[in-house]
Amino acid sequence: TESQQILTNVAHAYEDVPADMVAEESGPGAQNSPYQLRRKSLLPKRTACPTKTSMEGASTSSTENFGHRAKRARVSGKSQDLPAAPAEQYLQEKLPDEVVLKIFSYLLEQDLCRSACVCKRFSELANDPILWKRLYMEVFEYTRPMMHPEPGKFYQINPEEYEQPNPWKESFQQLYKGAHVKPGFAEHFYSNPARYKGRENMLYYDTIEDALSGVQEAHFDGLIFVHTAHIYTDEWIYIESPITMIGAAPGKVADKVIIENTRDSTFVFMEGSEDAYVGYMTIRFNPDDKSAQHHNAHHCLEITVNCSPIIDHCIIRSTCTVGSAVCVSGQGACPTIKHCNISDCENVGLYITDHAQGIYEDNEISNNALAGIWVKNHGNPIIRRNHIHHGRDVGVFTFDHGMGYFESCNIHRNRIAGFEVKAYANPTVVRCEIHHGQTGGIYVHEKGRGQFIENKIYANNFAGVWITSNSDPTIRGNAIFNGNQGGVYIFGDGRGLIESNDIYGNALAGIQIRTNSCPIVRHNKIHDGQHGGIYVVSNGLIIFCICVSQHEKGQGVIEENEVYSNTLAGVWVTTGSTPVLRRNRIHSGKQVCRATTCTSVTCSCCPFLEQLYLLWQW
């Protein structure tokens, strides 16, 4: 082969190298090489036919002079082994590592793998990470190896921290069989078959549309690399097969591979794309007429019925003032969207509707004009560990029978509520942090429901939890603290179960109930408020830390709570309110325990009152 001929020629050339040159090359300057020179000092030329006597007399000395072990005769008595040819000896033993590596650097990956099968030394050199890194970056452009251990899973690693010695080669093997969208390179690749001999399994295209049409190629497994070159604009990308499309670029890949559309949805996933994957790229919808009504059905990324693609490590932007950045709609729409950035959009960020589901994990959703997330019409997603912040509207909005499971999300600094529930929506919100809302934390209204369990709700400008207009949520096991106003407000025929919460340090009441509201408040701790403890106003019930001047008929059941160390009254009941208080522990208040004005109060079994002044008026 060509590589063997090159090695043989180099070996013959080294036979005539003067000894002083070899010594000079292997001197102190050679220590800077990444490999230690493996050549031995050149042997003096032997006489053509030495006599038997001279060979017998000089056997020991010649062994020392020549620097190698003498050949042993075979036991069978046959002729002695012939000495190795000079070229073979230089190839296998004396050709310096640097020279072999230089020769190997001209080989492509298949020839390198064949060379590694020659001998142990060639195997070590042909698997050198520097050789494979050069080849890898030439083909894929990544500056860190992109691992692809299984379908639908890609991640980059730091080579220094990887457990295997050559992650570049390993990644090369995992990504080898794929198509490449690299504008301007396809013509060069196919017009130089000798230069790229051995890469017949690779395909090159100028456009994404051409690559999608090549899915049916016999040796193509559906893997498409979209390389950095320019912005891919106004291509018709409708995906209805289980393809894998991933950006390929040095550095931060998603920042450099940009796909946008100015007329239609940029990506549309249709039935048949249930196992598709799109990752490591920027996807933009940037229409010229951003507010035109014909964009109502257009989105940056659209996922329709009966498909479940994976969207991973993408940056998603939409400058259109209608529609949304990501729309998941229809029965059987169940994508996995993870590690994406959905920000700076001029409408809704993530919109889930019409019985759609899906898993949405570790995304950043911020600075969108409307809600960061909309869930409506029986949409039922699983949303975990998302960072939803600095929205120009509400953080999460569930309405019109929207559902969903929200876990460990960080929702903060949105202009309206962090989480809004409306119109029979019934989400489950668990172990989230909802804080620093410019209005409130959680707002449940117009017959909204929901379960809010073990969340941290703090430092909101208005109430931590606001329940009104015939809504009936469950607020259980939450820490509601340090609000700039009250902890929990139940107004306007609000109901709900307020149970086992720790409500403290709020500027106004811990719980306030009024306007014909009738919640159940039990097993809570209401303490260290800057105002009162429980405040019930005219047919409403308020628990913990507040004092309010309205008189609006509060009701409700307040039982087995501990109310202590509040600045004003532990429990305050005003005109026309009829709450039921049972087995509460009210102590250590700085002013009164219970205060009532012109009302009837049913109170039983509040046995422990410590350091309190009781004032009753009726």
Side-chain angles (χ1 to χ4, degrees):
T1 64
E2 295 179 3
S3 57
Q4 290 174 332
Q5 186 62 42
I6 294 172
L7 291 169
T8 303
N9 294 339
V10 173
H12 283 301
Y14 261 79
E15 286 183 342
D16 300 326
V17 175
D20 55 350
M21 183 180 296
V22 174
E24 181 178 331
E25 290 180 357
S26 59
Q31 297 177 0
N32 297 326
S33 172
Y35 286 87
Q36 184 179 358
L37 294 181
R38 298 184 57 177
R39 69 167 70 89
K40 300 176 183 179
S41 59
L42 294 179
L43 306 179
K45 292 186 178 180
R46 308 185 190 185
T47 56
C49 294
T51 61
K52 180 178 180 181
T53 305
S54 61
M55 290 186 67
E56 289 177 353
S59 60
T60 303
S61 60
S62 64
T63 301
E64 294 175 355
N65 291 334
F66 285 99
H68 62 82
R69 204 176 286 177
K71 299 285 184 179
R72 292 186 297 174
R74 296 194 179 198
V75 177
S76 61
K78 295 181 181 180
S79 60
Q80 294 183 351
D81 291 339
L82 295 175
E88 180 183 349
Q89 186 179 24
Y90 270 97
L91 281 174
Q92 295 184 352
E93 298 180 11
K94 297 187 177 180
L95 194 64
D97 289 349
E98 290 85 351
V99 177
V100 178
L101 285 171
K102 182 63 177 177
I103 296 169
F104 283 175
S105 70
Y106 293 101
L107 306 181
L108 298 184
E109 52 279 354
Q110 289 190 2
D111 289 332
L112 270 182
C113 291
R114 294 189 183 101
S115 300
C117 298
V118 173
C119 62
K120 182 177 180 180
R121 182 189 177 204
F122 277 20
S123 176
E124 179 182 348
L125 296 177
N127 284 289
D128 181 79
I130 297 176
L131 292 177
W132 283 95
K133 179 180 179 180
R134 181 189 61 80
L135 280 174
Y136 184 87
M137 293 183 65
E138 176 187 325
V139 175
F140 302 106
E141 297 193 60
Y142 300 123
T143 49
R144 292 190 300 156
M146 178 71 75
M147 308 310 294
H148 178 40
E150 59 188 55
K153 187 173 183 179
F154 292 84
Y155 59 90
Q156 287 188 293
I157 62 166
N158 292 320
E160 300 80 9
E161 301 174 359
Y162 195 63
E163 56 186 10
Q164 299 298 328
N166 193 351
W168 303 99
K169 181 180 179 181
E170 185 175 345
S171 179
F172 208 120
Q173 292 172 332
Q174 295 174 358
L175 306 179
Y176 188 62
K177 195 174 182 180
H180 297 258
V181 181
K182 200 170 184 179
F185 186 77
E187 182 180 357
H188 168 74
F189 179 80
Y190 290 113
S191 62
N192 293 276
R195 169 68 181 86
Y196 299 105
K197 184 178 180 180
R199 289 184 175 171
E200 292 80 6
N201 283 334
M202 295 184 186
L203 300 173
Y204 281 88
Y205 298 95
D206 287 329
T207 68
I208 297 173
E209 291 182 66
D210 290 342
L212 290 173
S213 65
V215 167
Q216 302 303 323
E217 294 284 346
H219 57 280
F220 178 46
D221 61 358
L223 178 58
I224 301 174
F225 295 94
V226 182
H227 290 261
T228 178
H230 67 295
I231 298 176
Y232 299 85
T233 304
D234 290 337
E235 295 199 43
W236 200 70
I237 306 176
Y238 276 55
I239 298 175
E240 48 188 356
S241 61
I243 61 97
T244 296
M245 187 183 301
I246 183 171
K252 294 183 179 180
V253 183
D255 291 338
K256 297 181 179 180
V257 179
I258 301 173
I259 302 173
E260 75 169 13
N261 203 303
T262 62
R263 300 188 300 266
D264 201 353
S265 295
T266 311
F267 270 78
V268 179
F269 292 88
M270 306 178 70
E271 190 168 357
S273 61
E274 58 274 3
D275 295 319
Y277 175 98
V278 171
Y280 292 87
M281 60 181 63
T282 294
I283 304 171
R284 300 193 308 214
F285 180 44
N286 187 23
D288 296 330
D289 185 357
K290 304 183 189 316
S291 61
Q293 291 301 312
H294 67 273
H295 289 304
N296 278 337
H298 296 162
H299 312 272
C300 184
L301 192 150
E302 185 175 351
I303 299 165
T304 61
V305 297
N306 296 328
C307 60
S308 52
I310 298 174
I311 314 299
D312 183 21
H313 283 94
C314 287
I315 299 170
I316 302 172
R317 302 281 186 268
S318 175
T319 60
C320 187
T321 57
V322 292
S324 62
V326 179
C327 178
V328 185
S329 174
Q331 189 76 42
C334 189
T336 297
I337 298 181
K338 56 185 180 179
H339 307 114
C340 291
N341 186 309
I342 307 171
S343 301
D344 302 304
C345 302
E346 294 305 318
N347 204 272
V348 177
L350 173 60
Y351 179 32
I352 303 162
T353 186
D354 297 339
H355 299 271
Q357 298 178 336
I359 299 174
Y360 308 83
E361 296 181 328
D362 302 299
N363 302 291
E364 182 167 1
I365 303 172
S366 65
N367 197 35
N368 297 293
L370 294 185
I373 299 176
W374 264 14
V375 182
K376 66 173 289 189
N377 196 17
H378 302 280
N380 191 17
I382 297 173
I383 297 179
R384 298 191 184 102
R385 299 182 303 277
N386 290 273
H387 188 194
I388 305 163
H389 62 99
H390 289 94
R392 288 171 271 170
D393 198 86
V394 67
V396 179
F397 186 24
T398 59
F399 62 108
D400 289 351
H401 300 277
M403 297 180 287
Y405 178 80
F406 298 79
E407 181 183 4
S408 302
C409 295
N410 187 2
I411 305 170
H412 66 95
R413 290 180 172 84
N414 296 286
R415 191 177 68 84
I416 307 181
F419 206 110
E420 183 175 351
V421 183
K422 176 183 176 182
Y424 301 100
N426 189 19
T428 299
V429 183
V430 180
R431 292 183 291 277
C432 294
E433 291 193 25
I434 304 171
H435 58 100
H436 292 92
Q438 295 182 31
T439 54
I442 296 170
Y443 181 33
V444 187
H445 63 115
E446 296 185 28
K447 299 181 181 180
R449 300 184 63 191
Q451 293 78 44
F452 297 86
I453 302 169
E454 298 179 5
N455 302 285
K456 291 183 178 180
I457 305 165
Y458 60 94
N460 296 288
N461 282 349
F462 294 168
V465 178
W466 193 309
I467 303 167
T468 185
S469 54
N470 296 294
S471 297
D472 190 15
T474 297
I475 312 295
R476 178 184 292 124
N478 302 279
I480 305 170
F481 59 97
N482 295 345
N484 293 331
Q485 288 193 9
V488 180
Y489 284 4
I490 306 103
F491 290 5
D493 299 296
R495 297 188 301 278
L497 173 62
I498 316 300
E499 183 177 45
S500 302
N501 300 285
D502 189 9
I503 305 174
Y504 63 93
N506 297 287
L508 299 180
I511 297 178
Q512 178 181 156
I513 303 169
R514 70 182 189 184
T515 322
N516 296 314
S517 296
C518 188
I520 297 173
V521 181
R522 65 189 181 196
H523 304 143
N524 299 282
K525 287 185 177 180
I526 305 130
H527 60 98
D528 296 293
Q530 300 175 36
H531 211 276
I534 299 172
Y535 190 31
V536 184
V537 185
S538 285
N539 280 356
L541 171 64
I542 294 179
I543 297 180
F544 311 144
C545 301
I546 194 168
C547 182
V548 181
S549 63
Q550 300 296 326
H551 303 281
E552 301 177 9
K553 297 183 179 180
Q555 300 178 18
V557 178
I558 304 172
E559 61 183 5
E560 298 182 2
N561 301 285
E562 184 173 7
V563 186
Y564 61 96
S565 299
N566 297 291
T567 301
L568 298 181
V571 179
W572 193 305
V573 183
T574 66
T575 303
S577 298
T578 58
V580 176
L581 288 83
R582 298 192 186 101
R583 297 180 297 277
N584 296 282
R585 187 169 183 258
I586 306 169
H587 65 96
S588 304
K590 298 177 183 178
Q591 288 193 13
V592 299
C593 170
R594 294 176 294 183
T596 65
T597 303
C598 299
T599 186
S600 61
V601 179
T602 302
C603 183
S604 61
C605 303
C606 292
F608 187 75
L609 307 177
E610 179 184 36
Q611 299 180 7
L612 296 174
Y613 173 72
L614 306 184
L615 172 63
W616 290 89
Q617 295 178 344
W618 56 67

